[in-house]
Amino acid sequence: MEKILLNVAAPDIETYIKAGGYRALKKAFAMKPEDVTAEVKKSNLRGRGGAGFPTGLKWSFIPKTNPKPRYLVCNADESEPGTFKDRELLRKNPHLLVEGLTISSYAIGAKQCYVYIRGEFAEEAELLKNAVREAAQRGFIGKNILNSGFDLEIITHRGAGAYICGEETALLESIEGKRGLPRLKPPFPAVVGLFGCPTVINNVETLASVPAIIEKGGDWYAGLGAGKSAGTKLFSVSGPVKKPGVYEIELGMPFKKFLEEYAGGMLEGSVLKAVIPGGSSVPVLTAGEALKMNLDYESVQQAGSMLGSGGIIIIDDKACMVETLLVLAGFYHHESCGQCTPCREGGGWIEKLLAKMEKGEARETDVDLVYSIAENMLARTLCPLGDALAMPVMSFITKFRPEFEAHAKGKP
Amino acid sequence: MAYKISERTLAEIDRLLKIYPQKEAVLIPALHEMQKEAGWIPEEAMDALGARLNIPYARVKGVVTFYTMFNRLPMGRFHLQVCRNISCHFAGAAGMLRHLEDKLNIKEGETTEDGLFTLSAVECLGSCGTAPVIAVNETYHENMTVEKTDRLLAELRAENNSD
């Protein structure tokens, strides 16, 4: 099984260079920027933050004739419940990200690169700043990098506690010193992004995948994984399993194999009941559905959910689905920025109704009411936060309806 | 009394103004710096920072109130943040929070009378593989149990007494 992200633990630059680090950077500077982008396109790398959008294509949306400065923004706001892969990457291999940032900035022509890291990751922000300092001392970032004539400054920018800032336009607002309110699109960030300039925003893991693509070639990377789901991916697994943690695998592995061989299987006395495969905002799957799927974008979609961030949350037979959904509803209600009525109000209504249901104080008709509120939030908001609550609600109720009905009939 | 921004923070603001192309972008990094000093951001500090960056006070307050990490009240020396989200919930976070409430004799959101501890329930800290997690100020404590939590409180009290 090929590993390119967590293949080494190299918190310092010496170890990283000894393991072959910064070779891809040298190779990239021998190429034209557009050829670097072409290689990334060829690799079929897709955004690892959750949306799975083709990375090379995203880069090519930067207008060629716009005279304004360009920016690369790295999304390290990792806040999606069940997702903790970028933290692992930042702790174990920060230079891989720095190398990826430099190559990617060169490809799109950005002279400033911002890493927006969630405020709670104070230690990780220091690790990253240290890696940037070390790379600057070796001349891998700064002025005229390796005599290429290319200049780059990398700025670590800390968030301050707001899930919504992982949404890319809210993130840009936040760097600009504002409340993190998602923007109306279009214009897309590639045209009007950070400080009104063309901007590419990519996730930590996406950018950390770039050095291997440049070093070994886009075709090589495209050959890993499963068809349109190329390459390797980090999966974070949490819940009642023997070995929760972050694992890098080639896309396409059967979930069953992943659960048994990587996550170590279920804890003694726990039986698999449900799986949320891509961070808390994607539809829940029953154990039966999950055990049939493979871990790649297409297969998870076919199973009825989304691969998302690869944050796999395991739910066992001891968990009450009403209580579990209430935890999620409380979260999304709290994190709504409040701009769009369906998300702001709908989130609150759903949380209140579920709280009553959980205590056995709801009416029987409230199960359908909760479902219908969620249905009316879906695709009716500026950003995906509305959907991020609607999808769990609709799938939890559809797949575990008897539990909700029993609670609504007064069984606490 | 007018709030005086410290020399250290002023110097940091000047450094940041040279990096960011727009001065408003310095606001959130500057608020982090200010909070380092007293552990919270008083109204007068928002006013002073707005004046320094030429941003209206209302805009500064709007930002401070949007982000959960900016404290608008004095905090205990140790801010205990118990993650309440899904994976920590499965691992017993709710019981951990109740245990801390009993042990410290305060409710979530309150500060102990001696000013030592503030207790909060927070959203996902991004460390679900080592649930349950309690952050103390900026440090994560992972794979927590009731026994480890008691030990942690004792260590923090000892740290305070040794100063």
Side-chain angles (χ1 to χ4, degrees), chain A residues 123-162:
Chain A
E123 279 178 27
E124 291 74 14
E126 283 312 309
L127 286 171
L128 183 65
K129 279 187 194 168
N130 182 53
V132 167
R133 252 191 315 270
E134 285 181 331
Q137 281 161 4
R138 302 286 184 116
F140 295 138
I141 45 183
K143 296 262 181 231
N144 189 21
I145 304 168
L146 306 174
N147 291 317
S148 61
F150 179 70
D151 304 338
L152 177 69
E153 190 179 8
I154 296 178
I155 298 140
T156 305
H157 188 101
R158 286 180 68 196

Side-chain angles (χ1 to χ4, degrees), chain B residues 40-121:
Chain B
W40 67 296
I41 299 169
E43 295 280 324
E44 297 75 19
M46 297 180 211
D47 212 11
L49 184 59
R52 174 66 191 85
L53 294 173
N54 204 15
I55 300 170
Y57 158 77
R59 286 290 289 273
V60 179
K61 182 156 185 180
V63 166
V64 171
T65 53
F66 187 84
Y67 295 94
T68 54
M69 285 177 72
F70 294 134
N71 306 316
R72 280 172 289 144
L73 286 171
M75 302 293 284
R77 174 167 178 187
F78 302 110
H79 185 194
L80 307 174
Q81 300 147 83
V82 182
C83 175
R84 63 166 290 277
N85 216 298
I86 184 161
S87 304
C88 285
H89 181 81
F90 289 151
M96 196 84 75
L97 185 65
R98 273 196 306 273
H99 177 73
L100 280 166
E101 285 181 335
D102 290 347
K103 195 95 187 175
L104 298 171
N105 202 18
I106 50 172
K107 291 275 165 228
E108 187 241 314
E110 295 177 349
T111 301
T112 52
E113 264 177 37
D114 58 6
L116 212 48
F117 299 104
T118 299
L119 180 63
S120 304

Side-chain angles (χ1 to χ4, degrees), chain A residues 301-325:
Chain A
Q301 199 170 5
Q302 251 170 21
S305 188
M306 292 187 287
L307 188 78
S309 62
I312 301 176
I313 303 162
I314 302 290
I315 301 174
D316 71 0
D317 56 333
K318 295 184 196 72
C320 162
M321 295 311 261
V322 180
E323 186 187 312
T324 305
L325 188 59

Side-chain angles (χ1 to χ4, degrees), chain A residues 325 341-343 345-347 349-350 353 365-381 385-398 401:
Chain A
L325 188 59
T341 311
C343 172
E345 303 299 325
W349 295 343
I350 290 176
L353 285 165
T365 49
D366 285 347
V367 179
D368 285 329
L369 182 59
V370 170
Y371 189 91
S372 130
I373 296 167
E375 209 172 17
N376 280 295
M377 288 167 71
L378 203 64
R380 285 184 176 86
T381 50
L385 199 139
D387 293 3
L389 174 58
M391 291 190 296
V393 169
M394 292 164 75
S395 57
F396 268 68
I397 293 180
T398 304
R401 196 172 177 102

